[in-house]
Amino acid sequence: MNLGESIRIALDGLLTNRLRALLTTLGIIIGVGAVIGLVSLGRGVENFIAAEFQGLGSNLLFVFSSAPANGTRTTIQPLSTNEAEDLDNSAVAPSIRQLSQEFVLPAAVVAESVSIQLGVSGVTANWDDVRSWTTDKGAFISTEDIDNVARVAVLGTTVVEAIYGDKTFDPVGRTIRINERVFTVIGVMAEQGGGIGVLGDQNEVIFIPISTAQTRLSRARTRDGGYRVDIFNIQAVSEDRMDQAVREIEAYLDEAHAITFQGEQDYSIISQAELLNSLGSITGVLTVFLSLIAGVSLLVGGIGIMNIMLVSVTERTREIGLRKAVGARGSDILLQFLIESVFLSILGGVLGVALGWFLTWIGGQLVPDLTLSVTGDAVVLATVVSTGIGVFFGLYPASRAAQMRPIDALRFE
């Protein structure tokens, strides 16, 4: 019997039980659709994170206090304004273009009969330039505001919406209370990305002059005579000089903090690239993990195909015996049932790709910040996997059918 005849007989057998064949493929359809949808979502999140960090620039470093790696130091010396001024000097660190300081403190913010709790950031006048943020309304913190220890504030759009009910509202000139002290709103930041929660809500922020945060809202004196700083946001001269900038920062801070041995550092330096790689690794592992969970549906679908094929072999025992009695070989019977199994899997794979495309489209509509698309490799993988399932789980029922003795099959009741 040639291949074409085997295919015709196999399709006739499936068309005889259309509903059963369709129900058999459901496991494959759901599994393939879930895998494609989750892979598309994972890659969309990875691309979103990459785009967010690339918008910051490729030459950004973050320095902050942290516990020593070897645990030998019992105290952590905080970063200070004096250290920031030294590092911002080209004679000390020539690979640094500019440095902005950030001091964060928890605060109760009250305005328009609304009270919210959030971290308020005291920043230097160049913070927006270093971080590549812009104001949408009004102005950002100025050097004059810092020198005068002014009680002025710049709000993020989420804060504006929480207080005034509309993120497009212009609150410039209005007053708010931060930890019982009155501040005048002088600006609103342009809306930032990160609305899907991957990076947190970057618009839930309030900026005030760092001098005001360190003196009026907190007691942040350090033992070197300066004020405590939580984060140094550092812009290197260029991407090529990032490593040199890190070495210059380490050399200065090791001396300033009396660091003698490696592992005693009470500070950490993280580059944007390292942060992006870390987040990319996390999202990559999460995508694989979710895909494996979805892949369980493929396994269940494969078992369903094997079960139905075994039932089909039992129901058609007399047919198998008759065909063998008139000259059909075992390989012909094997090929017929194997084709049925593979066809069910391929049909499930095709419908699963359609389901995956639909789920991806739905995800893009629900989360417009993400750019989701079904990639060619995901479709190829789904097709290969579904075909493999058909072969693997259909081989045993097909071999059982092929090994039947004609006389036993014809006597089967």
Side-chain angles (χ1 to χ4, degrees):
M1 184 184 300
N2 59 37
L3 179 61
E5 184 67 13
S6 296
I7 293 176
R8 185 190 66 77
I9 295 174
L11 292 181
D12 286 343
L14 292 174
L15 290 174
T16 303
N17 298 281
R18 295 181 182 87
L19 181 59
R20 186 172 71 181
L22 181 61
L23 293 176
T24 303
T25 63
L26 277 180
I28 303 296
I29 294 171
I30 295 172
V32 170
V35 169
I36 290 177
L38 289 172
V39 168
S40 300
L41 177 63
R43 289 180 176 174
V45 170
E46 290 181 31
N47 293 334
F48 176 83
I49 293 175
E52 287 296 304
F53 278 91
Q54 286 169 359
L56 298 176
S58 57
N59 59 338
L60 195 60
L61 294 167
F62 305 96
V63 183
F64 51 91
S65 297
S66 66
N70 60 16
T72 55
R73 293 171 67 95
T74 57
T75 59
I76 298 176
Q77 182 177 332
L79 303 175
S80 73
T81 52
N82 290 341
E83 294 169 351
E85 292 170 2
D86 288 342
L87 283 172
D88 209 16
N89 186 338
S90 59
V92 175
S95 298
I96 293 178
R97 174 177 293 165
Q98 59 176 333
L99 181 152
S100 69
Q101 305 171 48
E102 186 171 353
F103 176 71
V104 184
L105 70 159
V109 179
V110 179
E112 304 292 327
S113 301
V114 175
S115 177
I116 57 176
Q117 300 281 337
L118 77 162
V120 172
S121 296
V123 296
T124 49
N126 65 339
W127 189 95
D128 59 335
D129 186 28
V130 173
R131 293 293 301 272
S132 300
W133 285 34
T134 58
T135 51
D136 181 48
K137 301 178 180 71
F140 194 68
I141 306 298
S142 68
T143 302
E144 184 179 358
D145 293 330
I146 294 171
D147 293 340
N148 295 333
V149 195
R151 289 190 290 185
V152 295
V154 180
L155 311 182
T157 54
T158 297
V159 176
V160 172
E161 184 175 21
I163 294 176
Y164 303 102
D166 182 3
K167 65 181 179 181
T168 63
F169 180 79
D170 185 358
V172 174
R174 300 211 174 203
T175 60
I176 61 174
R177 299 181 69 87
I178 302 176
N179 286 352
E180 303 300 328
R181 290 171 174 79
V182 177
F183 284 73
T184 301
V185 178
I186 62 170
V188 176
M189 302 304 297
E191 189 166 12
Q192 302 296 313
I196 63 172
V198 176
L199 306 178
D201 189 350
Q202 299 184 89
N203 302 295
E204 191 177 16
V205 292
I206 295 179
F207 298 112
I208 63 176
I210 191 169
S211 56
T212 306
Q214 292 167 332
T215 59
R216 292 182 182 268
L217 299 183
S218 177
R219 297 181 182 275
R221 278 287 186 180
T222 55
R223 62 185 183 185
D224 65 359
Y227 292 91
R228 181 167 64 86
V229 179
D230 291 319
I231 305 172
F232 292 164
N233 299 281
I234 296 176
Q235 192 178 68
V237 171
S238 66
E239 185 176 357
D240 295 337
R241 296 179 63 178
M242 290 277 284
D243 292 340
Q244 180 60 31
V246 170
R247 286 192 290 269
E248 292 167 0
I249 296 168
E250 290 176 339
Y252 173 80
L253 290 179
D254 282 353
E255 182 178 355
H257 291 205
I259 305 298
T260 306
F261 301 103
Q262 188 66 27
E264 289 185 349
Q265 286 83 357
D266 53 1
Y267 63 88
S268 293
I269 304 173
I270 295 180
S271 68
Q272 176 201 323
E274 291 173 338
L275 194 56
L276 178 59
N277 288 338
S278 297
L279 289 173
S281 299
I282 293 171
T283 55
V285 170
L286 182 61
T287 300
V288 172
F289 181 70
L290 292 176
S291 300
L292 289 175
I293 293 176
V296 173
S297 298
L298 291 174
L299 178 62
V300 173
I303 294 173
I305 288 177
M306 178 185 285
N307 184 50
I308 293 300
M309 292 304 299
L310 287 171
V311 172
S312 179
V313 168
T314 302
E315 289 179 346
R316 296 156 67 183
T317 298
R318 291 179 64 83
E319 174 193 333
I320 295 169
L322 183 60
R323 290 188 60 200
K324 281 198 166 188
V326 297
R329 295 169 299 176
S331 59
D332 297 327
I333 304 298
L334 176 70
L335 185 60
Q336 173 194 338
F337 282 94
L338 196 57
I339 288 173
E340 289 186 22
S341 176
V342 171
F343 183 81
L344 286 174
S345 297
I346 292 177
L347 177 63
V350 171
L351 296 178
V353 169
L355 176 62
W357 181 89
F358 178 72
L359 293 175
T360 300
W361 180 80
I362 289 293
Q365 298 301 309
L366 295 177
V367 191
D369 285 331
L370 294 182
T371 302
L372 302 180
S373 61
V374 176
T375 57
D377 58 343
V379 174
V380 171
L381 177 63
T383 304
V384 171
V385 169
S386 61
T387 304
I389 285 175
V391 173
F392 180 80
F393 286 97
L395 191 58
Y396 175 67
S399 63
R400 279 194 61 182
Q403 292 170 6
M404 284 185 180
R405 295 174 58 192
I407 188 65
D408 294 333
L410 289 171
R411 290 176 176 174
F412 180 79
E413 294 294 337

